[in-house]
């Protein structure tokens, strides 16, 4: 399996981050098999497009919530990485657990 899971929609509350807010989060490596996507739909034309990030962020966006890493934006990047036999992806990760004051143990219990 490429991803930890695939779901349709975000299970976490709205974080209210703007593109400017996301751009302030430094990218880091995440393992593909540790992320849950928030979309079941993959548009083949976007997957194959060389300039798919022309108007967007170069890095996918992920949200850590209740100890689970959800890929909010950038599933096409993740699939491209998997097709190239890569196991990691560079993404911006927003830690919603930390924002809500939860430590790792509390987050996984909820």
């Amino acid at each position: 399996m490429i991803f930890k899971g695939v779901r349709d929609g975000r299970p976490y509350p709205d974080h209210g981050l703007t593109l400017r807010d996301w751009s302030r989060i430094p990218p880091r490596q995440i393992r593909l098999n540790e992320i849950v996507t928030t979309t079941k739909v993959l548009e083949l034309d976007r997957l194959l497009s060389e300039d798919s990030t022309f108007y967007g962020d170069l890095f996918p966006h992920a949200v850590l919530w209740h100890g689970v890493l959800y890929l909010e934006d950038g599933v096409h990047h993740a699939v491209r990485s998997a097709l190239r036999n890569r196991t990691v992806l560079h993404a911006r990760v927003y830690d919603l657990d930390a924002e809500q004051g939860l430590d790792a143990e509390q987050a996984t219990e909820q």
Side-chain angles (χ1 to χ4, degrees):
M1 177 180 261
I2 297 171
F3 305 119
K4 180 178 180 178
V6 177
R7 58 174 294 126
D8 194 19
R10 303 173 189 167
Y12 49 87
D14 184 16
H15 47 65
L17 293 180
T18 65
L19 287 177
R20 184 178 300 260
D21 297 332
W22 278 109
S23 70
R24 293 184 181 121
I25 300 172
R28 66 178 177 103
Q29 286 188 348
I30 57 176
R31 295 186 53 78
L32 292 177
N33 65 357
E34 294 177 350
I35 60 177
V36 176
T37 68
T38 58
T39 181
K40 291 182 177 182
V41 178
L42 181 67
E43 297 174 23
L44 193 55
D45 59 337
R46 285 187 61 198
L47 177 67
L48 300 175
S49 175
E50 290 295 324
D51 63 348
S52 64
T53 59
F54 187 73
Y55 293 105
D57 194 344
L58 180 62
F59 300 101
H61 300 165
V63 175
L64 182 64
W65 188 65
H66 290 207
V68 178
L69 193 58
Y70 294 96
L71 187 63
E72 178 175 289
D73 180 45
V75 70
H76 298 87
H77 288 281
V79 171
R80 272 193 224 111
S81 291
L83 290 172
R84 293 179 178 137
N85 292 322
R86 297 182 183 146
T87 58
V88 295
L89 176 70
H90 284 85
R92 300 181 193 279
V93 178
Y94 178 64
D95 190 342
L96 193 54
D97 290 341
E99 185 69 28
Q100 294 179 342
L102 301 176
D103 62 27
E105 187 176 318
Q106 290 173 318
T108 55
E109 288 175 1
Q110 290 189 359

